[in-house]
Amino acid sequence: MDLLSGLIAIATALFLTAGMRVTTVVNNLFSLVNIAAILIIITVGGYFANLANWTAVPGGFMPFGWKGVFAGSASCFYAFIGFDSIATSGEEAKDPQKSIPIATFISMAFATFSYVGVSVVLTLMLPYTAIDDESGLPMALGAHGATWAKMAVIVGACCGMATVLIGTIYSLTRIVYAMSEDGLLFPWMGEVNAKTAIPLKAMFAFTSLGMWLGVFVDMTTLGKWTGDEF
């Protein structure tokens, strides 16, 4: 059992009960740390980049051909979920018709730049055959002696996971609220707490489900449940 996963889910849900103002400040702080880590990776990785890892190594660039590209694109699809968090915040935005499209475009553009940039520098720092499956970026930076950058990656990854968890619970709660208002789910899921202005019952119900999955189901099995369907 992974008790830590369950405790983190509970802690995040309790944190979200503080309301949107506090949640936004902390989430923005974590996001800035994550963005800084990404920029460090791209900058430091670009410094240690060696084009020979694409040209001299057999199959260094596109080693698995277009089949591998399309297979990788299918996996990267999951990296581009989460933008629903922007759309579901429409009722709480001051000018949703203007701010939501702009926020979505900026987020998608930066996400694309980040994933492409990190992938490029990672495969240029080390041959693709030497990249560790479990800890590719820290190992690649550590192999070049950039220990401080390696630590930045670890801190950025922790902040990134925190923002993902906050954003997931936030958007899920709003989606459940909207579905309940339309009569698609139980009415009690649409009840908004008078003090926090958050549908707390819906949030705790679905966070509890996620908590039990995190405690009793390993990551590989969860990945198969979602990935094998597509």
Side-chain angles (χ1 to χ4, degrees):
M1 293 189 299
D2 189 354
L3 295 177
L4 182 60
S5 296
L7 292 174
I8 291 174
I10 294 174
T12 305
L14 292 175
F15 166 72
L16 286 170
T17 61
M20 275 306 301
R21 187 178 298 275
V22 177
T23 302
T24 301
V25 172
V26 176
N27 195 51
N28 288 343
L29 178 62
F30 283 155
S31 297
L32 288 174
V33 174
N34 195 26
I35 290 171
I38 291 172
L39 295 177
I40 289 173
I41 293 169
I42 295 175
T43 304
V44 177
Y47 177 78
F48 292 114
N50 184 2
L51 195 59
N53 290 323
W54 276 7
T55 57
V57 178
F61 184 78
M62 288 180 62
F64 303 104
W66 284 106
K67 181 179 179 181
V69 171
F70 287 117
S73 299
S75 300
C76 289
F77 167 79
Y78 293 101
F80 282 86
I81 62 174
F83 298 105
D84 55 327
S85 300
I86 301 174
T88 54
S89 62
E91 294 183 359
E92 300 173 68
K94 293 182 179 180
D95 187 7
Q97 291 183 334
K98 180 180 179 181
S99 60
I100 288 180
I102 294 175
T104 303
F105 175 78
I106 293 175
S107 299
M108 293 188 70
F110 186 78
T112 303
F113 165 77
S114 301
Y115 281 106
V116 173
V118 170
S119 300
V120 167
V121 298
L122 176 60
T123 52
L124 285 176
M125 280 193 291
L126 290 176
Y128 78 96
T129 53
I131 296 175
D132 186 83
D133 292 337
E134 300 295 331
S135 184
L137 282 169
M139 191 209 73
L141 291 169
H144 290 282
T147 306
W148 67 273
K150 177 181 176 180
M151 296 303 300
V153 171
I154 296 173
V155 173
C158 292
C159 291
M161 287 187 287
T163 56
V164 167
L165 193 56
I166 292 172
T168 300
I169 296 177
Y170 168 82
S171 59
L172 176 62
T173 303
R174 270 60 179 181
I175 292 171
V176 170
Y177 167 78
M179 293 178 68
S180 177
E181 287 288 293
D182 293 337
L184 300 174
L185 289 174
F186 302 110
W188 60 266
M189 291 185 175
E191 295 179 8
V192 178
N193 184 274
K195 185 177 180 180
T196 62
I198 296 173
L200 292 180
K201 292 182 180 180
M203 183 175 71
F204 284 121
F206 283 91
T207 302
S208 299
L209 176 60
M211 177 197 70
W212 288 111
L213 287 173
V215 170
F216 291 106
V217 184
D218 63 277
M219 190 64 184
T220 302
T221 304
L222 285 173
K224 287 184 177 180
W225 285 355
T226 57
D228 288 352
E229 296 298 325
F230 299 95

